[in-house]
Amino acid sequence: AQSVTQLDSHVSVSEGTPVLLRCNYSSSYSPSLFWYVQHPNKGLQLLLKYTSAATLVKGINGFEAEFKKSETSFHLTKPSAHMSDAAEYFCVVRSSNTGKLIFGQGTTLQVKP
Amino acid sequence: EAGVAQSPRYKIIEKRQSVAFWCNPISGHATLYWYQQILGQGPKLLIQFQNNGVVDDSQLPKDRFSAERLKGVDSTLKIQPAKLEDSAVYLCASSFGRGGADTQYFGPGTRLTVL
């Protein structure tokens, strides 16, 4: 069975400092992995996706993630946090059978001035 | 292009009442998904349609939840009767297909409160 584990439920950074949100995955097949962001009272927005092409994936708003098969990880990073980055972030793996998305528990990112 | 539309945005009901949610996917998207997101958790798939056929409803509580996608476009999700633990945000998503490269686009969700 496929699954993802987000290693931190809450991350707090200062504005202008780097962001690291950690995610490990479990999959028998070459996975499709995603990061989604959810701002309060707004819908889920796709940040980036990995579908077995380049291992370093660039997304919107300066975010990127690196697929590391040896570590079964897909961590999300951003060089410099902005106040508008404060939100809930979900690491997601896609089922190779049905295409359904399997979400992690989420990481709340707090950005302090 | 227009995104995924959902209504209502908010609904408050008492337990044992029934409720229905509506979703209009992005035009041309064959695959439609309903997710349940309980506060503090990630969304969980309830049911997936490919056109008007069900692909996966393994996590749908069929004794009280039902969903349909007549004509392969709009979809409705119904709960009858509602329980307190059904309080959640119900998200609808759609994608062109269900392959690995197909992006799922989410609607704003319907926040259900069961009192």
Side-chain angles (χ1 to χ4, degrees), chain A residues 1-112:
Chain A
Q2 292 164 304
S3 65
V4 288
T5 302
Q6 292 183 245
L7 301 176
D8 308 290
S9 59
H10 188 97
V11 170
S12 181
V13 301
S14 297
E15 189 176 20
T17 64
V19 175
L20 170 64
L21 304 183
R22 299 181 296 164
C23 173
N24 286 349
Y25 70 89
S26 173
S27 176
S28 303
Y29 306 93
S30 181
S32 293
L33 293 162
F34 307 78
W35 278 97
Y36 277 83
V37 61
Q38 188 174 39
H39 288 93
N41 299 314
K42 292 191 176 180
L44 284 158
Q45 182 183 20
L46 179 67
L47 276 178
L48 50 81
K49 63 180 178 182
Y50 167 78
T51 54
S52 73
T55 56
L56 182 61
V57 182
K58 294 189 183 298
I60 61 172
N61 301 334
F63 284 95
E64 62 181 37
E66 187 172 7
F67 173 74
K68 291 187 176 180
K69 186 175 181 179
S70 61
E71 299 177 10
T72 62
S73 69
F74 190 58
H75 301 334
L76 181 70
T77 60
K78 183 173 180 178
S80 176
H82 192 272
M83 295 298 292
S84 61
D85 294 328
E88 189 81 10
Y89 291 80
F90 293 97
C91 181
V92 184
V93 64
R94 185 165 198 152
S95 167
S96 55
N97 292 333
T98 64
K100 76 177 184 182
L101 299 182
I102 302 164
F103 285 76
Q105 290 290 92
T107 298
T108 302
L109 176 64
Q110 179 187 21
V111 183
K112 297 177 290 186

